[in-house]
Amino acid sequence: MNVRSLPDRKPFLTAALALVALAGLAAAAISAEPRAKELFGARKLPAVAPAQSFGFYSKGCFTGGVALPMDGPTWEVMRPSRNRRWGHPAMIALIEKLSRDAQADGWPGLLVGDVSQPRGGPMMTGHASHQIGLDADIWLTPMPKRPLTMAQRETMSATLMVNEKTHLVKDALWTPAHTRLLKRAASYPEVERILVNPGIKKKLCDTVTGDRSWLRKVRPFWGHDYHFHMRIGCQPGSPGCKGQEATPADDGCGKPLAWWFTEEPWRPNKNPDAPKARDLMTMANLPKQCQDVLDAPDAPSLEAVTYHGGSAAAVAVAEPEPSEPAETISSGNAAMPAAASAFAPTPKIGIPLPRPRPGN
């Protein structure tokens, strides 16, 4: 044995241990970096600024947000403790318009679920999208005749419209009024997509007669069995907003829909314990403007930024002129779902990803 070999290796061992220690410190620093969901979830009010959306529906933020009033003659906000009744003024105005038009069509009134957080961004729980103020969930349960209490809004269950085993609509629950509500929502030019459970899409495909052109906006996706997801496109004055390609021109009742009634979409997730994108995202993963959005001062009060037919203070600021068209995220097949993560670079998909594929 060479007795000099051990002392000779000390410098190399010392250097190796130092590298390991540095790597450990770096990993600890990364893990200690605040998650974006915690930062955005902590903000209770929007920033007073021109209404702008930054980034993609599942990776972004927005300014100039306004709140949907808790109560209206034709709507009520559900789960108010979540503080997710905020959106781009165009979205909030559209929800109010839909509530009035739907009532004229025979729907008693809207129960409004999640829209966005005051400044958007990833949420503590739930959605991957709803981050740029242009998404809203509307319950398929009509508004009751008597006003709901705050406790009822927090605990009342929505009506599950789909049989979880057959993935078909429960015929005893579905009414022509449900069809009229979805048709009305799809009728607005600014609405680009409406996500529903595949069973609901099939019910529409099987029963809608006459004009079926609006069905192209109604796309099947996992979940959405007690509510529908209404998405509008990037709005003027938001050049940093990344849009999606248009839905196919057909009614969407062919092969793409048939795929949902095979075994493939319902197979268990191969990695159910993998962390959700929202649990990993830091500010570095969001558009650079989102740090400014987060750091901007609060609006003066909740009332000042509650939407009352366009009178909210947040919309009083003139919108900037768009410097370039909003970017469109395109895919080769917008009709088919794709596995993607909001933590990855902006997903090149044709449909939003409100939540991942369910397990068993």
Side-chain angles (χ1 to χ4, degrees), residues 248-335:
D250 61 80
D251 61 13
C253 295
K255 289 183 178 180
L257 178 60
W259 179 83
W260 288 98
F261 295 92
T262 66
E263 293 183 2
E264 170 59 25
W266 313 107
R267 289 175 181 167
N269 191 334
K270 293 181 179 179
N271 191 12
D273 297 325
K276 303 291 190 298
R278 64 172 178 269
D279 298 328
L280 300 174
M281 294 173 73
T282 65
M283 294 305 296
N285 303 119
L286 297 176
K288 61 182 181 180
Q289 298 95 330
C290 289
Q291 186 62 58
D292 295 331
V293 173
L294 196 64
D295 293 340
D298 285 344
S301 68
L302 173 61
E303 180 57 29
V305 284
T306 297
Y307 188 85
H308 296 291
S311 62
V315 256
V317 185
E319 290 187 339
E321 291 297 322
S323 58
E324 60 185 38
E327 181 180 346
T328 297
I329 305 303
S330 177
S331 75
N333 189 350

Side-chain angles (χ1 to χ4, degrees), residues 156 189 221 256 316:
M156 172 182 165
F221 205 70

Side-chain angles (χ1 to χ4, degrees), residues 19 32 107 127 134 139 215 227 229 282 326:
L19 288 174
W107 190 259
H127 315 278
L134 306 178
W139 285 24
L215 290 177
H227 73 276
H229 179 132
T282 65

Side-chain angles (χ1 to χ4, degrees), residues 65-66 95 118 145 183 186 192 196 199 241 249-250 252 267 283 300 313:
V66 293
I95 293 172
K145 293 181 180 179
K183 181 177 181 179
E192 292 190 348
V196 298
C241 178
D250 61 80
R267 289 175 181 167
M283 294 305 296

